[in-house]
Amino acid sequence: MLSIIAPAMGTQGLPRTVDIVRFCGGRGHAEATLVAEQLPRLSAALADSGWSITVRLSGESPGTAIYRIAGSAEGELPVTCRRCLAVVQWPLALRFSVVVVQGDEEEARWIAESDTWRGENDRLPLAERVEDELLLAVPDLPECSDGACEARAQALHGAGGSPGPHGE
């Protein structure tokens, strides 16, 4: 069994790429606590860089030449409330399962039934695909859940209240 465990808060993160057959067919595991510097696209979408996310991945091969990766990501991400512009901690508790495909034909076969991650030449860009999943999980228009949000929004935007979804 392949195991890739990165130290929490260390400079190592998830492997950039993995061999699909070895990781999934060998029931490999990867676990890391990732920080902003390791996920630049996600970091650019967030309000600040003082965060970390714990990611756990497991490779599976539930059938002949079928490869899956099951994963989870947990942490809190700093997002900006669209109404009052306060930075709030948004709880992330993501679970996912994807079929790993190679090539157009295999992707076309699986895309209607399952989420897919695409690899090439028996390699999967693991860190990039995980960052893609995390980006999809971040809300487009986050809002505070505290009672003071409306008051802050009115103070910020005047008596007109909160801005609309497009900032008007």
Side-chain angles (χ1 to χ4, degrees):
M1 177 177 5
L2 173 68
S3 256
I4 303 165
I5 306 294
M9 299 300 286
T11 56
Q12 292 183 348
L14 293 173
R16 292 181 58 79
T17 64
V18 294
D19 179 279
I20 295 168
V21 175
R22 186 168 176 231
F23 187 79
C24 295
R27 300 176 56 99
H29 296 281
E31 181 175 338
T33 298
L34 305 175
V35 295
E37 296 81 32
Q38 295 164 318
L39 301 167
R41 293 180 296 139
L42 178 62
S43 187
L46 299 175
D48 69 44
S49 60
W51 53 267
S52 65
I53 297 173
T54 301
V55 176
R56 293 175 184 86
L57 304 167
S58 296
E60 307 169 354
S61 184
T64 305
I66 299 172
Y67 300 109
R68 287 188 166 279
I69 293 182
S72 66
E74 297 175 355
E76 290 190 343
L77 299 176
V79 296
T80 303
C81 174
R82 73 170 183 95
R83 295 187 319 172
C84 71
L85 303 180
V87 175
V88 296
Q89 295 301 313
W90 180 75
L92 174 70
L94 176 64
R95 305 284 181 268
F96 56 90
S97 179
V98 296
V99 173
V100 179
V101 299
Q102 295 190 75
D104 295 335
E105 188 175 308
E106 192 174 12
E107 188 169 36
R109 182 176 63 188
W110 284 101
I111 196 95
E113 296 176 35
S114 184
D115 290 334
T116 61
W117 283 359
R118 188 167 176 164
E120 296 291 334
N121 301 322
D122 295 326
R123 305 289 301 169
L124 177 68
L126 189 64
E128 181 180 339
R129 295 297 177 261
V130 167
E131 189 171 18
D132 291 343
E133 289 293 324
L134 295 170
L135 281 164
L136 290 171
V138 175
D140 289 333
L141 300 170
E143 291 185 1
C144 290
S145 59
D146 70 18
C149 179
E150 186 62 34
R152 286 192 305 264
Q154 285 184 2
L156 182 65
H157 303 291
S162 302
H166 302 291
E168 66 273 331

